[in-house]
Amino acid sequence: MIGIIDYGMGNLFSVSKALERLEVDYVLGNRPADLANCDGYILPGVGAFPDAMKALEAHGFIPFIKEKVENGVPLYGICLGMQLLFDLSHEGGETEGLGLFKGEITRFSGMDEEGSSYKVPHMGWNQLNIHQPGQPLLKEVKEDHVYFVHSFVVQTKDPSILYATSDYHVEVPAIIGKGNLVASQFHPEKSGRAGMQLLENFCKVLCKQ
C-alpha cells in the first residue's frame, strides 16, 4: 500500500490516477494515523515553500516523515515535495525544510552567464540527462522529455544524490535520491512514459508492491 500525504498542497488527483493506471493500491491521508502502516509514501507539492512547511506542521507530518525515512521506508517527493526535503528555501525569505537532503532552494535568476534574460518559471517539457542509470528507480527510464513547472531550483554541493539533471540555462537537479529517499523536480504523473516508469519503479521495485 502506497500512502499519498495530503497536507492540502498537493496535486492529489493526478497522482492517484497515475497509481490507478499502474494498478497500485494507495490511500490518501491528511494525518499520520491515516497512513501509519504503508509500504511507501509519496509527498506531492504545488505552491509556496513556506506555506507547505506550515501545512506539514499543522497536519503533524514533519516528525512522521522524518521517522519513516529514518526507518528505511521509501518516500518519493514530487516538485515542491522534492524541495521540501532540503535544508532551507529562500522563497519569501528563509524557511527551514525537512533537512533530509543537504542543500538550499533559490529562485532562477532569469539571467544567463552572457547577460541575456530567460523566462521564469521553467515551464514545459525538457530532456533528462541521466547520471546514475544503475539506480533501481531509473530501471528502463530513458533520457526522454518530462514536464516541469517551477520558479525555484535546488542548489546542492552533493553530486552523489543527482540521479538525473536537466538543462535550463543552469543545471537543474531533476531526479535525486539517497537510499530509500527519492524525488523529482518534474511531475512524473504528467510526464508520459518516462514519468510513469519512475512511479512504477518506486512502487513496484523500491516499495515491492
Side-chain angles (χ1 to χ4, degrees):
M1 180 72 69
I2 302 298
I4 302 176
I5 298 172
D6 176 12
Y7 59 106
M9 296 188 64
N11 195 349
L12 305 179
F13 179 79
S14 61
V15 173
S16 60
K17 288 300 178 184
L19 297 188
E20 288 174 11
R21 291 197 298 273
L22 293 171
E23 299 182 343
V24 170
D25 293 331
Y26 69 90
V27 60
L28 291 166
N30 61 13
R31 56 180 185 160
D34 299 332
L35 302 174
N37 298 311
C38 294
D39 301 298
Y41 296 93
I42 293 176
L43 177 64
V46 176
F49 191 105
D51 295 338
M53 286 303 298
K54 289 178 183 177
L56 285 176
E57 182 177 16
H59 286 264
F61 277 124
I62 292 178
F64 176 82
I65 291 170
K66 290 182 177 181
E67 179 183 1
K68 291 296 182 180
V69 171
E70 184 177 343
N71 290 338
V73 181
L75 184 141
Y76 189 144
I78 295 176
C79 196
L80 176 60
M82 166 175 153
Q83 296 181 4
L84 295 171
L85 303 176
F86 283 83
D87 293 316
L88 180 74
S89 173
H90 295 276
E91 183 175 3
E94 291 189 356
T95 303
E96 289 187 6
L98 294 170
L100 299 172
F101 286 115
K102 297 298 181 184
E104 300 183 357
I105 312 303
T106 62
R107 194 178 190 277
F108 282 109
S109 69
M111 191 77 66
D112 65 21
E113 293 181 353
E114 285 74 38
S116 299
S117 62
Y118 61 86
K119 182 180 177 181
V120 178
H122 174 206
M123 181 168 62
W125 297 83
N126 207 340
Q127 185 173 346
L128 287 175
N129 304 311
I130 294 177
H131 298 272
Q132 299 188 44
Q135 292 291 343
L137 183 69
L138 300 183
K139 180 182 178 182
E140 298 184 18
V141 174
K142 309 299 183 184
E143 290 190 328
D144 291 332
H145 285 70
V146 292
Y147 189 75
F148 293 86
V149 183
H150 62 120
S151 298
F152 287 77
V153 62
V154 167
Q155 306 289 340
T156 179
K157 295 181 180 179
D158 184 2
S160 71
I161 70 172
L162 298 178
Y163 287 6
T165 59
S166 191
D167 294 321
Y168 189 67
H169 305 279
V170 295
E171 184 178 69
V172 176
I175 306 173
I176 60 171
K178 181 175 62 177
N180 57 304
L181 182 62
V182 297
S184 60
Q185 180 62 72
F186 58 90
H187 289 268
E189 76 281 8
K190 298 180 180 180
S191 294
R193 182 56 203 163
M196 291 298 288
Q197 186 66 59
L198 280 170
L199 286 175
E200 183 173 1
N201 290 345
F202 174 72
C203 296
K204 298 184 178 180
V205 179
L206 271 69
C207 302
K208 298 180 172 60
Q209 290 295 286

